[in-house]
Structure formats: structure tokens, C-alpha cells
Amino acid sequence: MPGMGNSLRAAALLAFVVLSVLVTLLISSVQQFGARISHFSTAPSGDDEELASLREALIHQLNERRKEIIPLLSPGVGDDDENGLLGESFSQRDSTLDYSLWNEITVGSGKAHLDEMGCDSLADMQAVEILGSGYTKLVVKVNLAGESEPVALKLVNEQGIDMGKCVEDFKDPRGCRELVSFKLRKEMVLLQRLQHPNIIKLKGHCAGGPGGREGEAERVTVILEQGNPLQMIQLLQSSWEDRFRVCLDLVRLLHFLSQSPLGSVALLDFQPRQFVTVSGSLKLTDLDDASAEETTCHTDADCTLQFPHRNFTLPCSARGVCEGLNEKRNIYNAYRYFFTYLLPHQAPPSLTHLVDRIMNATGELKADINQTLEAFEHILHLYKSGLHLENLPPSIIRDYTVMRGMGTSGNVEYRCWPSYSQQGCVLSVHSAREAAYTCNSHSQCNSFTLTGQKTWTGRLLASFRSGFSHLVPDGTSEVYVKKTKVVEKSSA
């Protein structure tokens, strides 16, 4: 056992060192911002042809990244490129593009129409934990002065693979930081354009500004609503009602993306890790790999969706684009990453045929997103209203004696799965009638209590138990006891 203790202490020390390094990196990244970038002046001077060639290649990459963002600057309120910050190729574009938005995400314009928080909000921040790190980005949970809720900061991962490879290729750390940061800039524009209850909220950003150090404007920090990473294993152990909520939120999101202000948007990196939950609601938190581009085609053969175990061919429209490809890609990814694991298991028996219909339609891409959303909303309506319980005999509740305004003490609990409580059996029900039906199906159950607590659908939470020692006054509760049990107590 001493060896295990030493290992644990070593692991804890390593974790502390890593966290310290990352927090130091975070602080240095978000506190250093300033005027417009002139990073190429820092490259070694001289007539070295190789360095000149590398600088030219890096400038080309920067221009390519800017071109990716241009289509996202849809018509909006704002001035044209009055400061010339987009360059000649940009000023030749449609003058209705929201150049003030571009200026803001690149140099932090003073108009501040995009968000509420800025560089000043990060002055007295306290890092709490590292939420994640990848090839490009580092995500940190922090507390900000004057804010009751923590926020998530996204910034360039200085130790990430993308940054390392860029510096190795171009020998220009500052130029590479700007190049890598384009994923963050693109994500900021997308978060501004694609505002929806199931997309994480952009709370602000810091892209340089007054009071910062000059020459550090390539440092970008995005300030986001903070959510909890989606834990699929934990979700698999939760109630069907909560799993259905995740799937419903996802379908509502995909419905929005299919007809967003940018057109039909595809999530190219569609994985559970791209989502978080905020107060129980599913939210997309990673948008840098979202694309509104339409796939061009000459024949239907050009419109093939390829997945590991299935391929689908979609029609090539008369205007030469693959019809509904982005939408269908999203639907099938939702099916294989979410619906397959979360939707069918332990669905209410009276809703199983409707769930199976959704699984078949999405798994075979026979339904569009409008039809899919309609099917989900129909199930939600039945489940919330209790219409799916019409076949339960009304007389089932007559087998129980009800004591209103009372609770129980000295409970004899038993466990069921899935339960809202680990100590006993707590399930959601539409009414006392459904609770009676559930109690009858559990051999251990002799009574249940309705407390008035409700789930996100408005259904009641019911506590089921084997027995209790006595009743206690409780104005918010109702206790239901099987009449056979009451008779037994009276006889005794």
C-alpha cells in the first residue's frame, strides 16, 4: 500500500504542475493584447531567400483563412472597411458585408456591438480548472470579478499540435499564433450569426485593445457561457426522459441549422465531445468545423454521403448542388452518435412504436429534419399530457388509500433503475394513476409519495418504498398506501 500512496502523490504532483503551467499560459495569453499586428517585422532581417519564402507562404495561409470567414460576414448593420483593415481583396467584396464585425474580432473595435464582455472583464479572473485542450485550442473555466457564474475561456493552445507544426514550418511564432487563432475568430463569427437556445452563448471576447501591450493583437480569447461536458456513460444511466431531452434538443438544433441565416450548416466534426449541458439543456459548444458550403455536383454520383458502415446517394439538383446533403449528414450523425444509444432503451411501452419509427426513418435517411422534429414533438406532447397512458385502467388507483398533507418517516427503501435518487426508488409519473401502476409492477412496493416536485416535462416525481414506520405532517405531499397493507396494519 505505501507504493500506491507514493504513486498517488506523484500523480497529484504531476497534475498540479501541469495545471500550473497551463494557468500560467492562460494568464500570459489573455493579459497581453494591444495594437494592430505587425508580427512579420519580428522575423530575422536579411536577404535570406528561405525566410522570405516562408513568410510569403504564411501570408498566403493567412489570406486563405480570411477567405473562409468572408462568406460568414453576412449583410448586417455596420460601416464598411473604413480603416482598410481587410486589405485590398476584401474591400472589393460586397460593401454590405459586416466589416465592423470583422474589425472587432481582429483588433477589438470600440463599437462593442458583438458582445458585453471584453478585455477589461479578464483583469481579475481566477482560473478554476482546465476543461479541455486539443490540437488548436485550450478551454479553461474561470471566475470573473463581479460575475456570479463562472465562464469558459477559449484561447490558442500554445503547446498544441497545430501551433507546434506551424512554428516548425514557418519559423514565426507570432504569425503562427494569428494563423491558428483563425479558428477562434471563425467560431466567434459563427456564434454571433447562429444564435439559438441549443448553441452555447457568446458572452464576449478579447482581441487586443486600449491598455494592452502593443504588438500582441494576434492573441484572441473567447468568453463563453460555461457548461458541463456531455458524459455519455453517465447519460446512459439516466432516465429515458432525460435521454429523450438530449435527443430532442439536438433535433431542434439541427432543424435550426438546416435553415440558418447562413443557409444549411453541416457539423463536420459531429461528436458528443462537441456538446455540453447547461441547466440540463444540450448546447453545441464547438463551431469551428461548421460549414455552410454546398457540395457542387454534375450527377447523383457526386452526392454520396460516406459513413463507416453505410453510404447514401442524394440527388444532384438542377442548380448543380447536392440537395439536402448538409441536413442529411447531420441527421445520420445524430442517429449514429445519439439516437442509437439514448432513444430506444427503456422507452415507455406505449411510445415504443413511435420511437422505432424515428429510428428507422433517421437510420435510413427516409425523413428530413422537418419530419424528424415533428415526430419528436409528437412524442413529447403525448408524454407530457399523459395521452400515452389512456389504456391504464382508471380503477387501479382504487387499490390505494391516500393521505393528503402527509409524509412518511422511518422509510424502508428499495432501489430501482434508473432512479432520480441513489438511495431509493424515485421515478417520474404523469399522475397518481401511473404511480399506482408502477408500484403494482414492483414486487417490493407497498406505498408511494407524491411531493409536488417536477421534472423538465412537468411530470411529478414519485418516491416508491416497501414500507414506513409512521406518518408525519407535510403540506406538500400525498402518501398512497396499498389497501391490503392498510388492512394488515389494522389487524395487527
Side-chain angles (χ1 to χ4, degrees):
M1 294 305 291
M4 180 179 293
N6 291 335
S7 298
L8 291 174
R9 282 193 292 272
L13 178 60
L14 177 61
F16 176 79
V17 171
V18 172
L19 179 62
S20 299
V21 170
L22 289 175
V23 169
T24 301
L25 171 63
L26 166 68
I27 294 174
S28 66
S29 296
V30 298
Q31 290 183 339
Q32 298 178 32
F33 38 82
R36 173 73 180 155
I37 302 171
S38 56
H39 55 263
F40 294 112
S41 63
T42 64
S45 59
D47 299 326
D48 192 302
E49 293 184 3
E50 181 180 0
L51 288 176
S53 175
L54 291 177
R55 286 197 296 273
E56 183 177 346
L58 180 54
I59 291 173
H60 174 74
Q61 290 295 322
L62 287 168
N63 286 332
E64 290 300 308
R65 299 293 81 75
R66 292 187 181 102
K67 289 178 183 177
E68 291 179 12
I69 295 182
I70 284 182
L72 306 179
L73 300 176
S74 55
V77 179
D79 299 330
D80 290 346
D81 185 25
E82 56 188 20
N83 298 320
L85 295 174
L86 297 179
E88 182 180 353
S89 62
F90 284 69
S91 60
Q92 293 172 355
R93 304 289 297 204
D94 187 345
S95 62
T96 63
L97 296 180
D98 193 350
Y99 291 119
S100 61
L101 175 57
W102 172 267
N103 291 344
E104 187 166 342
I105 67 170
T106 52
V107 297
S109 80
K111 298 179 182 179
H113 71 276
L114 186 147
D115 46 51
E116 298 177 357
M117 294 182 179
C119 299
D120 294 343
S121 303
L122 306 179
D124 298 316
M125 67 177 181
Q126 294 181 337
V128 178
E129 62 177 311
I130 306 297
L131 295 176
S133 61
Y135 286 8
T136 306
K137 294 170 289 188
L138 179 70
V139 186
V140 184
K141 177 181 178 180
V142 303
N143 291 323
L144 301 181
E147 296 293 322
S148 58
E149 298 291 333
V151 298
L153 301 186
K154 278 189 181 183
L155 58 153
V156 169
N157 185 355
E158 303 278 350
Q159 307 303 319
I161 291 177
D162 285 355
M163 186 68 177
K165 187 176 186 306
C166 180
V167 173
E168 181 181 349
D169 291 344
F170 299 113
K171 310 296 188 293
D172 187 341
R174 294 185 61 192
C176 284
R177 189 179 297 115
E178 183 184 14
L179 180 64
V180 175
S181 75
F182 263 92
K183 277 200 170 186
L184 289 172
R185 301 178 196 275
K186 177 184 176 183
E187 194 163 12
M188 277 194 288
V189 176
L190 287 170
L191 287 170
Q192 172 65 11
R193 296 301 185 216
L194 304 175
Q195 297 183 34
H196 185 266
N198 297 115
I199 295 178
I200 205 74
K201 182 180 179 182
L202 175 66
K203 299 179 75 70
H205 81 283
C206 176
R213 299 179 184 179
E214 291 193 7
E216 294 292 343
E218 77 279 0
R219 295 187 182 272
V220 177
T221 302
V222 184
I223 309 171
L224 300 171
E225 176 183 28
Q226 197 264 319
N228 298 312
L230 191 66
Q231 302 289 347
M232 288 298 286
I233 293 179
Q234 180 179 343
L235 198 54
L236 289 170
Q237 299 172 349
S238 65
S239 67
W240 179 84
E241 186 173 334
D242 288 343
R243 286 182 273 122
F244 176 79
R245 181 183 190 179
V246 168
C247 295
L248 174 64
D249 281 346
L250 180 58
V251 172
R252 287 172 172 170
L253 168 64
L254 299 186
H255 180 264
F256 167 74
L257 292 179
S258 71
Q259 49 190 17
S260 79
L262 300 177
S264 181
V265 175
L267 302 179
L268 301 182
D269 188 11
F270 199 118
Q271 299 277 351
R273 64 172 177 266
Q274 309 293 346
F275 297 86
V276 297
T277 58
V278 179
S279 301
S281 293
L282 183 75
K283 297 203 176 193
L284 177 64
T285 189
D286 210 333
L287 277 166
D288 59 332
D289 289 311
S291 173
E293 293 184 11
E294 294 183 295
T295 302
T296 58
C297 59
H298 296 289
T299 67
D300 291 354
D302 298 325
C303 301
T304 300
L305 274 177
Q306 296 182 331
F307 297 98
H309 303 293
R310 289 293 306 272
N311 292 335
F312 300 93
T313 300
L314 303 178
C316 178
S317 69
R319 59 191 184 95
V321 297
C322 297
E323 193 171 306
L325 188 140
N326 288 345
E327 176 183 322
K328 295 289 189 177
R329 182 195 303 274
N330 288 341
I331 291 175
Y332 192 75
N333 278 326
Y335 163 80
R336 70 190 186 115
Y337 285 117
F338 286 85
F339 301 167
T340 298
Y341 302 103
L342 303 180
L343 204 53
H345 184 55
Q346 288 196 326
S350 54
L351 297 177
T352 300
H353 67 291
L354 297 177
V355 171
D356 289 343
R357 195 177 300 168
I358 287 177
M359 297 300 294
N360 292 333
T362 55
E364 298 296 328
L365 287 185
K366 294 178 179 178
D368 61 25
I369 194 61
N370 291 330
Q371 295 166 323
T372 304
L373 178 60
E374 184 179 349
F376 269 87
E377 296 288 2
H378 178 57
I379 289 179
L380 177 64
H381 170 68
L382 295 177
Y383 190 66
K384 289 178 66 174
S385 64
L387 292 175
H388 67 299
L389 302 171
E390 288 182 340
N391 292 332
L392 288 185
S395 60
I396 194 170
I397 196 65
R398 298 173 191 167
D399 297 333
Y400 290 80
T401 298
V402 58
M403 287 154 281
R404 307 186 191 282
M406 303 296 290
T408 60
S409 181
N411 296 329
V412 181
E413 307 283 3
Y414 68 90
R415 294 184 180 181
C416 62
W417 189 86
S419 171
Y420 285 92
S421 170
Q422 295 182 351
Q423 284 70 44
C425 182
V426 180
L427 304 172
S428 79
V429 297
H430 175 260
S431 61
R433 183 166 60 119
E434 185 182 2
Y437 175 81
T438 301
C439 188
N440 286 352
S441 67
H442 294 177
S443 60
Q444 311 99 308
C445 184
N446 286 305
S447 67
F448 62 87
T449 300
L450 301 179
T451 63
Q453 290 180 290
K454 297 181 179 180
T455 66
W456 68 275
T457 60
R459 286 166 58 91
L460 300 168
L461 285 181
S463 300
F464 301 89
R465 65 186 66 83
S466 297
F468 57 89
S469 60
H470 55 278
L471 296 168
V472 294
D474 186 341
T476 63
S477 297
E478 296 178 351
V479 177
Y480 292 78
V481 182
K482 282 185 178 179
K483 289 183 176 179
T484 54
K485 188 69 178 176
V486 173
V487 172
E488 290 175 8
K489 284 189 174 182
S490 300
S491 317

